[in-house]
């Protein structure tokens, strides 16, 4: 711990496993997804926050798989990371959304962190520490209007502001905070969860993604060592994949929600739904109109999954040879996948009832969580603007803008 700071919190959690490669990453994610799926409906219905599940996630080593190899991580591909989030989201999209910012802010350190910052914080990540986020603000002019201030005070800084939609902050060991300094340039301050002046309020009351604890973070003269501040504004001065990676993970969550909804709908049809009397069939699974609709929905989910894979491959290709053209192509590939996946996720959340019939609407089954989760998560950023950028790129060769939402 040589980065001019006290040591981080030492949570009472098992030591994290260090994953070796992409194959192990996917195997671990698949096993955890099965485990997390079992309690997803109950956690949502009762709003039981997934603290134990997140501790399992930390101990598994999945939170460290994007750490570069030179710092001891597996440095897995973007395609693999996207598949991890898809698997987790199909099981429980709340759990999948919580570490989305964790991966994003590991990437910020990778691109803009100093050697000392990378050594320190990557060590924290490999030890199983979790990053939350304090990024978005409510009541501002638009989503990138940040009013939180980073104010120099002698040899350190202080943070002042209020953040909302702070997914993961309640469960975090470190909270990356987006703030502007006196020059209006954007920085990320990595703040310990128990820092004086920092308060996390569990006031998230969304209709979906109920257990993400995406509440409020209050910053009242929170002291931050200069060694914990990263110049995020430099990220956007040249070709970058910050936005593409962040959006790739959001897309994976939406694709996972769609796949999870289809899986549960099919199981309901097979085991509980009744055929329509005019079909002349003995079971709902033999009803030709249900068969037709399941086929249509399956095509849409498979298409969304294929676009997600293509987007991950585009991000990986750009990582290997980062230019303005390759970064732009990656952003467009991700935007294409998300613009398609968002309405598919919402449609699949509703189709559960279309296929299951009246019985599927019983509150105790909590099947409405699929639609609620899809509708809530897809509100993060409008797909209509992604379609605009895709059209300009295809028609006129115009590269997409450099910002964190594309």
């Amino acid at each position: 711990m040589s980065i001019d700071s006290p040591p981080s919190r030492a949570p009472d959690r098992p030591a994290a496993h260090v994953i070796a490669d992409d194959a192990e990453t996917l195997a671990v994610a698949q096993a955890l997804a099965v485990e997390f799926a079992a309690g997803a409906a109950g956690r949502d219905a009762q709003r039981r926050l997934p603290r134990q599940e997140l501790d399992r996630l930390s101990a598994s080593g999945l939170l460290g798989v994007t750490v570069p190899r030179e710092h001891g991580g597996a440095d897995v591909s973007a395609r693999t990371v996207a598949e991890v989030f898809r698997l987790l989201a199909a099981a429980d999209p709340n759990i999948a959304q919580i570490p989305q910012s964790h991966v994003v802010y590991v990437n910020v350190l990778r691109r803009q962190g100093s050697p000392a910052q990378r050594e320190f914080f990557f060590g924290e990540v490999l030890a199983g520490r979790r990053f939350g986020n304090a990024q978005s603000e409510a009541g501002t002019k638009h989503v990138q209007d940040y009013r939180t201030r980073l104010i120099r005070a002698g040899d350190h800084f202080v943070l002042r502001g209020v953040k909302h939609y702070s997914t993961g902050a309640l469960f975090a060991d470190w909270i990356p905070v987006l703030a502007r300094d006196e020059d209006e340039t954007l920085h990320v301050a990595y703040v310990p969860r128990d820092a004086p002046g920092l308060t996390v309020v569990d006031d998230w009351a969304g209709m979906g993604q109920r257990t993400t604890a995406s509440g409020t973070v209050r910053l009242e003269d929170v002291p931050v060592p200069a060694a914990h501040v990263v110049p995020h504004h430099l990220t956007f001065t040249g070709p970058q994949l910050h936005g593409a990676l962040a959006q790739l993970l959001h897309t994976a969550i939406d694709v996972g929600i769609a796949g999870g909804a289809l899986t549960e709908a099919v199981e309901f049809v097979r085991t509980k739904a009744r055929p329509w009397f005019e079909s002349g069939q003995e079971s709902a699974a033999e009803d030709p109109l249900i068969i037709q609709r399941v086929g249509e929905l399956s095509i849409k989910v498979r298409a969304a999954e294929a676009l997600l894979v293509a987007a991950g491959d585009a991000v990986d290709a750009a990582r290997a040879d980062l230019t303005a053209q390759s970064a732009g192509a990656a952003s467009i590939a991700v935007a294409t996948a998300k613009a398609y996946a968002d309405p598919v996720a919402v449609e699949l959340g509703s189709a559960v009832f279309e296929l299951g019939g009246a019985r599927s609407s019983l509150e105790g089954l909590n099947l409405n969580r699929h639609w609620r989760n899809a509708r809530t998560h897809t509100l993060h950023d409008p797909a209509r603007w992604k379609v605009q950028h895709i059209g300009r790129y295809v028609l006129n060769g115009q590269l997409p803008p450099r910002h964190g939402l594309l």
Side-chain angles (χ1 to χ4, degrees), residues 386-398:
K386 298 184 187 303
V387 175
Q388 282 283 310
H389 294 307
I390 293 165
R392 293 168 183 167
Y393 178 82
V394 172
L395 190 61
N396 301 316
Q398 181 177 331

Side-chain angles (χ1 to χ4, degrees), residues 52-65:
Q52 293 181 345
E53 289 76 14
L54 289 174
D55 287 350
R56 290 278 294 119
L57 186 66
S58 293
S60 75
L62 282 179
L63 297 183
V65 297

Side-chain angles (χ1 to χ4, degrees), residues 103-117:
V103 173
V104 168
Y105 285 106
V106 169
N107 191 53
V108 168
L109 288 163
R110 179 176 187 146
R111 298 306 173 195
Q112 299 302 336
S114 69
Q117 287 171 330

Side-chain angles (χ1 to χ4, degrees), residues 256-399:
I257 291 173
L262 180 61
T263 296
E264 192 153 6
V266 167
E267 179 64 17
F268 193 92
V269 167
R270 288 173 175 165
T271 61
K272 297 182 178 66
R274 297 185 297 179
W276 185 244
F277 71 96
E278 291 177 287
S279 73
Q281 302 300 318
E282 294 298 317
S283 72
E286 296 171 315
D287 185 322
L289 297 185
I290 290 180
I291 289 172
Q292 175 71 19
R293 186 60 174 143
V294 168
E296 293 169 350
L297 295 169
S298 180
I299 290 169
K300 292 185 177 184
V301 171
R302 286 196 176 204
E305 291 172 350
L307 286 170
L308 180 66
V309 170
D313 286 344
V315 173
D316 286 326
R319 282 177 60 181
D321 182 19
L322 186 60
T323 65
Q325 291 296 328
S326 67
S331 286
I332 292 298
V334 174
T336 301
K338 195 168 193 303
Y340 183 81
D342 279 14
V344 169
V346 174
E347 181 180 4
L348 263 294
S350 177
V352 170
F353 305 102
E354 178 186 342
L355 296 172
R359 185 179 177 186
S360 64
S361 68
L362 294 176
E363 187 67 28
L365 297 172
N366 199 22
L367 292 177
N368 62 39
R369 74 186 190 281
H370 298 293
W371 184 87
R372 288 188 288 101
N373 289 335
R375 184 64 283 177
T376 300
H377 186 258
T378 55
L379 297 176
H380 270 84
D381 49 278
R384 58 186 177 273
W385 272 99
K386 298 184 187 303
V387 175
Q388 282 283 310
H389 294 307
I390 293 165
R392 293 168 183 167
Y393 178 82
V394 172
L395 190 61
N396 301 316
Q398 181 177 331
L399 293 177

Side-chain angles (χ1 to χ4, degrees), residues 189-210:
Y190 289 76
V191 183
R193 167 69 176 81
D194 55 1
L198 187 153
T199 305
V200 180
V201 184
D202 181 20
D203 58 357
W204 171 239
M207 68 175 180
Q209 298 295 82
R210 290 177 173 176

Side-chain angles (χ1 to χ4, degrees), residues 117-334:
Q117 287 171 330
R118 290 196 293 268
E119 180 181 3
F120 176 79
F121 283 112
F122 289 160
E124 289 286 275
V125 171
L126 289 176
R129 308 292 194 264
R130 295 193 288 261
F131 291 166
N133 94 85
Q135 178 171 303
S136 294
E137 301 178 16
T140 57
K141 183 177 181 180
H142 52 71
V143 70
Q144 292 198 323
D145 179 16
Y146 301 113
R147 298 178 183 174
T148 298
R149 311 307 298 185
L150 183 69
I151 303 165
R152 184 169 288 279
D155 61 353
H156 68 284
F157 294 90
V158 295
L159 283 166
R160 293 175 188 163
V162 180
K163 298 288 189 176
H164 298 82
Y165 313 116
S166 302
T167 302
L170 191 67
F171 314 111
D173 301 297
W174 293 89
I175 301 178
V177 179
L178 271 182
R180 296 193 184 278
D181 70 3
E182 290 92 336
D183 297 329
E184 296 298 322
T185 54
L186 197 62
H187 293 72
V188 178
Y190 289 76
V191 183
R193 167 69 176 81
D194 55 1
L198 187 153
T199 305
V200 180
V201 184
D202 181 20
D203 58 357
W204 171 239
M207 68 175 180
Q209 298 295 82
R210 290 177 173 176
T211 64
T212 59
S214 301
T216 300
V217 171
R218 300 188 183 279
L219 304 150
E220 299 174 297
D221 289 342
V222 177
V224 184
H228 288 184
V229 177
V230 176
H232 189 38
H233 60 98
L234 298 179
T235 300
F236 306 103
T237 58
Q240 51 81 37
L241 296 171
H242 175 82
L245 176 63
Q247 290 295 302
L248 180 69
L249 303 184
H250 280 308
T251 304
I253 294 168
D254 294 335
V255 175
I257 291 173
L262 180 61
T263 296
E264 192 153 6
V266 167
E267 179 64 17
F268 193 92
V269 167
R270 288 173 175 165
T271 61
K272 297 182 178 66
R274 297 185 297 179
W276 185 244
F277 71 96
E278 291 177 287
S279 73
Q281 302 300 318
E282 294 298 317
S283 72
E286 296 171 315
D287 185 322
L289 297 185
I290 290 180
I291 289 172
Q292 175 71 19
R293 186 60 174 143
V294 168
E296 293 169 350
L297 295 169
S298 180
I299 290 169
K300 292 185 177 184
V301 171
R302 286 196 176 204
E305 291 172 350
L307 286 170
L308 180 66
V309 170
D313 286 344
V315 173
D316 286 326
R319 282 177 60 181
D321 182 19
L322 186 60
T323 65
Q325 291 296 328
S326 67
S331 286
I332 292 298
V334 174

